[in-house]
Amino acid sequence: MKKIKLTAILAMFAMCFALIAGCSGNNAAAPNTGPGTVSGGAEASDMEYIRGKGKMTIGYTVFEPMNYTDDGGNFTGFDTEFALAVCGKLGVDPDFVEINWDTKEIELEAKSIDCVWNGMTITPERAANMSITLPYVKNAQVIVVKAPGSVTSTADLIGKTVVAEVGSAGEMQIIGSEDEEAEENLAKANYISMAKQTDCLVEVKAGTADACVLDRTLAETMVGEGTDFADLVIVKGIELAEEEYGVAFRKGSDVTVIVDEIIIELVRDGTMTQLAKKYELLLAPDIHKYATTTG
C-alpha cells in the first residue's frame, strides 16, 4: 500500500514538472552532461546510459564453448553469438572486455562493464548483488582427472589435491559459501584455487593436481580426443550441483527486463535452439515455458 501511494505522489510531481517545462516556451534539448546522465542532468537509467554510449560493454573470461577464440582467430562461442543477437535488437554495439572473474561484481558497479555474459551460474548470493536474467542454459559441475578409473567417487579425492577456478561454482562445491554447503568429501581434499578454469586443466595435465572441478559445458569441449587435453577424462557418473546460467547486470538495472523479453523472442524464433545445437549445450528446462506463457 505504501508503494502505491509513493508511486502516485511521484507521478503527480512528474506531471507538474512536465507542465512547468511546457509553459516555459523553451523546446531546445538540454545537452547531455556526461555518462550516467540524460537531458537536464538527471540520472539516466541503465538502458539510457548504454544507448547513450552506443555500445554494451560485456565482461567475459575465456570459457569454451561460451566465449573463446577459435582456430581461425575468430572470437566466438554460444554467449558471444547470443550477446551479438541481443545487442542487434537493442541497437547497440557489443564491446567484449576480458575481466578477472573474481572481481566481476566490482567491475559491474564501477561501470567498467555493463554486464557479465560468460556462462555465469545463477546463485542466491549473486542474485542478491546483481540483476540476473532468465536462466538460459543448464549446466553441472564435473570432475576431471588424468588417469581413467583413478576416481570413481568423490571419496577417492579425500586428502588429494583438487583445483577449481576462484569464485566459481566448482570452488563452491569444495569450500562452500554462505548460501551453499561444500560437497562432504571434496571438503576434505587439499584445495588450491586457480585464476581460470583452463589453468585447472593445465594443473591436472601436469600432474600437480589430482583432479579439478569445473563446468561440464567447458569440460566436454576441452577434454578428450582431438583437444589440447586429450589425456584427461571426465569422471563418469558424477555430476555436482546442477545449475543454470544467466546474464548479470547492475543491481536494479532496467536492462534485465528488456533482455528477458529479447531472450523470449530468440526462443520463439528458434535462435536459442540453433545455438544450443551448434555448441552442444542444453537449454534451461523452463526457457520454452517462458516463451509460451508470456506475450
Side-chain angles (χ1 to χ4, degrees), residues 91-112:
V92 297
D93 294 327
D95 177 25
F96 292 94
V97 175
E98 189 169 0
I99 61 171
N100 181 332
W101 188 252
D102 201 33
T103 59
K104 55 189 176 295
E105 289 94 340
I106 296 171
E107 295 202 45
L108 196 58
E109 283 303 312
K111 292 192 174 181
S112 301

Side-chain angles (χ1 to χ4, degrees), residues 43-262:
E43 187 174 350
S45 73
D46 224 16
M47 191 70 260
E48 289 172 322
Y49 168 66
I50 291 168
R51 284 187 169 137
K53 296 190 300 175
K55 65 180 181 179
M56 179 182 287
T57 306
I58 300 166
Y60 79 95
T61 62
V62 177
F63 176 10
E64 191 173 351
M66 309 311 284
N67 309 88
Y68 67 101
T69 301
D70 64 18
D71 293 336
N74 303 303
F75 185 62
T76 188
F78 180 97
D79 274 342
T80 304
E81 291 198 45
F82 180 19
L84 286 169
V86 171
C87 285
K89 287 183 176 291
L90 290 173
V92 297
D93 294 327
D95 177 25
F96 292 94
V97 175
E98 189 169 0
I99 61 171
N100 181 332
W101 188 252
D102 201 33
T103 59
K104 55 189 176 295
E105 289 94 340
I106 296 171
E107 295 202 45
L108 196 58
E109 283 303 312
K111 292 192 174 181
S112 301
I113 57 175
D114 297 314
C115 61
V116 179
W117 207 320
N118 189 223
M120 190 197 76
T121 301
I122 300 172
T123 67
E125 184 177 12
R126 288 172 180 166
N129 296 319
M130 300 180 283
S131 180
I132 304 176
T133 63
L134 297 171
Y136 61 89
V137 160
K138 178 184 177 182
N139 185 42
Q141 296 299 301
V142 296
I143 296 172
V144 173
V145 297
K146 190 170 185 178
S150 61
V151 174
T152 58
S153 72
T154 56
D156 295 326
L157 293 172
I158 295 174
K160 300 292 181 65
T161 300
V162 179
V163 293
E165 180 185 54
V166 63
S168 69
E171 182 180 69
M172 293 306 100
Q173 287 300 297
I174 303 169
I175 65 173
S177 69
E178 291 182 5
D179 300 299
E180 299 178 21
E181 292 184 4
E183 201 279 339
E184 183 178 1
N185 293 320
L186 291 177
K188 300 174 183 176
N190 298 319
Y191 173 60
I192 300 175
S193 64
M194 297 285 121
K196 300 178 181 178
Q197 293 198 84
T198 47
D199 292 343
C200 299
L201 295 173
V202 171
E203 293 295 319
V204 177
K205 182 176 181 177
T208 49
D210 298 295
C212 63
V213 181
L214 71 169
D215 291 291
R216 180 182 61 196
T217 53
L218 180 142
E220 289 180 343
T221 302
M222 298 196 67
V223 166
E225 187 177 351
T227 72
D228 292 336
F229 301 97
D231 54 342
L232 304 187
V233 296
I234 299 171
V235 177
K236 294 182 179 180
I238 302 178
E239 282 199 347
L240 307 166
E242 285 197 2
E243 58 203 26
E244 294 176 323
Y245 291 161
V247 184
F249 295 91
R250 280 178 276 279
K251 189 68 178 174
S253 175
D254 58 331
V255 184
T256 313
V257 173
I258 297 169
V259 172
D260 278 345
E261 292 172 352
I262 295 174

